[in-house]
Amino acid sequence: MGYYGRRLSHVAFPGVAVLCYHGIRRADEATPFNELHVTRDTFERHCELLAKSCNPISLDDFRAARAGTRPLPPRAVMVTFDDGYRGVLDYGLPSLERHGVPAVVFICAGPVLGSRHFWFDALWSREGEAAVLNAREAPFAEWRTLITSIDKPADPGEQHRPLTVEELRRLAASLLIEIGGHTLSHPTLALAPAEEQRREIRGCREALQDAINAPVDAFAYPYGGVRQDYLPETAGIVREAGFTSAFTTGESFATLDGDPFQVPAS
């Protein structure tokens, strides 16, 4: 805390540092892709550091800065989560609230609204990480057949699982949280036909808006790499679906004059 706090207090950011998290877990909990899920103690320390040494902003703050109606504070940081894990509500939200840190949670709508495990967690549990990495690069029809075959209900008693609809609504009710879209089923959009991309993107937005009875205006591309994971034309489909911004996994700061449909988050 002391070292990074001192360093950060003298650093000027060239834009907004958008941080991309996934799940939050207990220290003694082993999860699929464990390295993507920080422990709750680690996340608590992150929030404390951000609140003391940076200026956490909401997506609304970023929109207003882009529109020229509100200045960005120095060392602006935006916290985001992908997928929609239960741990974001159980472990993440209390830390965010303790330190006054806003966040955007990008929800993969199908598993959350249908109480199913994310396909990559189900496949990891059955065949391991290599099988998941191979599957995400498979032709779209082959991938669709695979994820249908491994569909797995999520037990509400499980800790590592997607949010339920009721939990999603509780999360969305927080004044610190904005809900965004992350497709219906988390495909590699670059491998999907344009019509399937539209179904995944538009369907996600419509389903989430119905579930939380609120606008869903931001989107995050699954995996997030341009050309490898989504195509330039995918950004146009996101725009057509009614979203006003979209986030990638580009390793850069988000600038006010950058493409609103390719905002880097890492």
Side-chain angles (χ1 to χ4, degrees), residues 166-251:
E166 187 272 334
E167 290 166 343
L168 170 63
R169 289 172 179 155
R170 283 167 51 198
L171 189 64
S174 170
L175 296 178
L176 289 172
I177 300 296
E178 178 167 340
I179 299 299
H182 199 45
T183 70
L184 285 171
S185 56
H186 210 287
T188 301
L189 289 167
L191 301 177
E195 200 50 48
E196 287 291 344
Q197 293 186 55
R198 291 188 180 92
R199 187 185 71 83
E200 286 278 345
I201 294 167
R202 183 181 298 276
C204 170
R205 182 169 188 257
E206 292 173 351
L208 289 174
Q209 289 185 148
D210 287 346
I212 66 173
N213 194 31
V216 174
D217 294 330
F219 181 80
Y221 301 98
Y223 313 115
V226 64
R227 300 192 185 280
Q228 176 185 355
D229 302 317
Y230 73 94
L231 302 172
E233 49 264 41
T234 307
I237 294 173
V238 172
R239 186 194 298 267
E240 290 170 8
F243 290 103
T244 58
S245 61
F247 289 73
T248 74
T249 54
E251 295 183 359

Side-chain angles (χ1 to χ4, degrees), residues 58-196:
S58 67
L59 185 50
D60 263 349
D61 292 328
F62 185 57
R63 292 186 184 106
R66 284 183 58 90
T69 60
R70 192 181 309 162
L72 273 183
R75 297 184 299 284
V77 176
M78 191 189 315
V79 171
T80 73
F81 293 89
D82 281 358
D83 301 330
Y85 283 97
R86 172 185 179 175
V88 177
L89 175 67
D90 290 350
Y91 304 143
L93 185 59
S95 290
L96 296 170
E97 290 178 334
R98 265 192 295 275
H99 299 285
V101 177
V104 189
V105 185
F106 295 106
I107 300 293
C108 182
V112 170
L113 302 183
S115 297
R116 323 302 290 182
H117 277 288
F118 298 118
W119 74 264
F120 36 85
D121 286 346
L123 184 57
W124 186 98
S125 298
R126 194 173 79 169
E127 298 183 25
E129 181 174 342
V132 176
L133 298 178
N134 289 335
R136 61 173 279 193
E137 297 178 355
F140 184 80
E142 181 181 322
W143 171 82
R144 179 67 72 192
T145 298
L146 171 65
I147 69 163
T148 301
S149 73
I150 61 171
D151 180 60
K152 183 181 178 183
D155 186 325
E158 294 178 87
Q159 183 57 47
H160 186 73
R161 59 161 173 78
L163 295 157
T164 64
V165 175
E166 187 272 334
E167 290 166 343
L168 170 63
R169 289 172 179 155
R170 283 167 51 198
L171 189 64
S174 170
L175 296 178
L176 289 172
I177 300 296
E178 178 167 340
I179 299 299
H182 199 45
T183 70
L184 285 171
S185 56
H186 210 287
T188 301
L189 289 167
L191 301 177
E195 200 50 48
E196 287 291 344

